[in-house]
Amino acid sequence: MSRTIQLALILSAPLALLVAVFVLNRTIGMAEGDRDYVVRFDLPSADAPVDLPRVDGPADASRPLVVIDAGHGGFDPGAGMEGVREKDVALAIALAIRDRLLAGGGVRLALTRETDRFISLGDRPDIARRLNADVFISVHADSAESDLARGASIYVLSEKGSSEAAERFAERENGADKVNGVALSQTSAGVGAILLDLSQRGAQAGSTELADLMLRELREAGIGMHHDRVETAALAVLKAPDIPSILLETGYINNAQDYAFLRSKQGQNTVAEAAARAIRVYFARNSGA
Ligand SMILES: [Zn+2]
């Protein structure tokens, strides 16, 4: 009996040693990690494409496909302060545009996100491309140092930020892929020098046409514009090479009036109706082209 126990002890010694080393390592490892806090979040791996979203609307694949992109999400709140978060405003308006377009019928529609989750800037146009979308619209809400800044803005991609203000703006929007200044993907690193190739130039004409229509419809709906023209900026999210793409800044969420408007059902519906009209006119003009 005692020999059996001795034998068992001898046999289990290496295992005991392994366990001891493991426990010791964990303990020392944790002691070395002398940090106040550790933030962890799951990021999509670089080589695995994100899952494609559901496409709503008619099953007929010949119908035009709109991809609406609600800006920011997940650990990236976007602009805002004191509980006012751009990512929530953007999602509410993206959903309102979807509902309005689906109610009108005839178009197919997908959202890059319909929950509060993070998607990298590069994955957003990539979703549109993989779905073979006809237009891509990224929805945002800006904030400024002054709470007097107001109004909506429409952006198309430029090779380079055309003004200092546009560059600052692009920096702000392109910063979504950075945490404490560390780039999460290669997309944001190369944004400074976005080169437009030939197919992009073709899509640029469509982008400009869509942007002009959006400006017209927002204006006609009585929505104040920040500047009364389409803006250009080097925005990573508009980099789909072959899909007309615009970015809609719906207003300034640190301006009390804009924020109240964007948070209200009535405000969201007004923006959504104008956006839906612009998209329909765009498709009507370009059908069979
Ligand atoms: Zn934004």
Side-chain angles (χ1 to χ4, degrees):
M1 186 68 180
S2 68
R3 282 187 66 126
T4 317
I5 291 168
Q6 273 177 359
L7 199 67
L9 277 173
I10 289 164
L11 285 175
S12 63
L15 185 69
L17 194 69
L18 268 175
V19 169
V21 165
F22 177 74
V23 169
L24 213 68
N25 195 27
R26 284 285 295 258
T27 316
I28 291 168
M30 282 169 81
E32 275 175 354
D34 189 19
R35 299 184 183 94
D36 290 346
Y37 57 87
V38 175
V39 180
R40 288 181 201 282
F41 38 78
D42 295 325
L43 291 171
S45 71
D47 43 359
V50 290
D51 291 338
L52 286 177
R54 191 186 65 246
V55 175
D56 290 323
D60 178 0
S62 70
R63 296 291 182 170
L65 174 60
V66 182
V67 169
I68 308 281
D69 172 50
H72 311 277
F75 67 81
D76 167 27
M81 57 206 84
E82 290 160 20
V84 179
R85 298 180 305 186
E86 176 185 0
K87 64 175 183 177
D88 300 327
V89 172
L91 182 57
I93 292 173
L95 290 169
I97 296 174
R98 175 189 68 179
D99 293 347
R100 189 63 51 180
L101 278 170
L102 288 178
V107 296
R108 296 178 300 138
L109 201 134
L111 294 167
T112 54
R113 68 174 179 99
E114 50 186 326
T115 56
D116 182 14
R117 70 187 183 100
F118 175 79
I119 312 172
S120 78
L121 285 176
D123 281 335
R124 294 166 187 263
D126 195 50
I127 287 171
R129 211 154 48 217
R130 284 160 60 211
L131 286 173
N132 207 11
D134 294 280
V135 295
F136 175 83
I137 297 169
S138 192
V139 180
H140 291 250
D142 208 351
S143 78
E145 273 172 36
S146 161
D147 59 7
L148 297 176
R150 290 197 63 174
S153 306
I154 295 150
Y155 285 85
V156 294
L157 180 68
S158 74
E159 213 158 337
K160 207 169 171 294
S162 54
S163 68
E164 212 181 299
E167 266 170 43
R168 274 205 307 276
F169 169 75
E171 236 167 62
R172 216 155 57 231
E173 288 296 1
N174 291 334
D177 275 8
K178 289 184 182 175
V179 174
N180 288 338
V182 178
L184 299 178
S185 72
Q186 291 187 323
T187 323
S188 55
V191 160
I194 291 172
L195 297 174
L196 302 177
D197 65 17
L198 284 174
S199 60
Q200 262 177 316
R201 284 183 204 286
Q204 278 301 94
S207 303
T208 304
E209 186 183 353
L210 181 61
D212 286 339
L213 287 168
M214 192 66 75
L215 183 72
R216 186 187 83 183
E217 292 300 334
L218 289 177
R219 235 192 250 140
E220 275 178 19
I223 295 164
M225 302 303 296
H226 185 61
H227 290 128
D228 211 21
R229 59 168 188 273
V230 172
E231 317 267 331
T232 63
L235 294 162
V237 78
L238 299 182
K239 254 186 91 179
D242 38 16
I243 301 166
S245 305
I246 65 170
L247 185 141
L248 170 60
E249 288 284 348
T250 48
Y252 284 82
I253 55 174
N254 66 320
N255 173 280
Q257 284 155 294
D258 273 11
Y259 182 61
F261 179 72
L262 294 174
R263 286 282 294 205
S264 70
K265 270 271 163 277
Q266 183 242 331
Q268 290 167 4
N269 287 338
T270 306
V271 174
E273 259 168 49
R277 264 199 308 276
I279 292 163
R280 284 188 184 287
V281 174
Y282 174 85
F283 285 143
R285 282 188 186 175
N286 288 278
S287 64

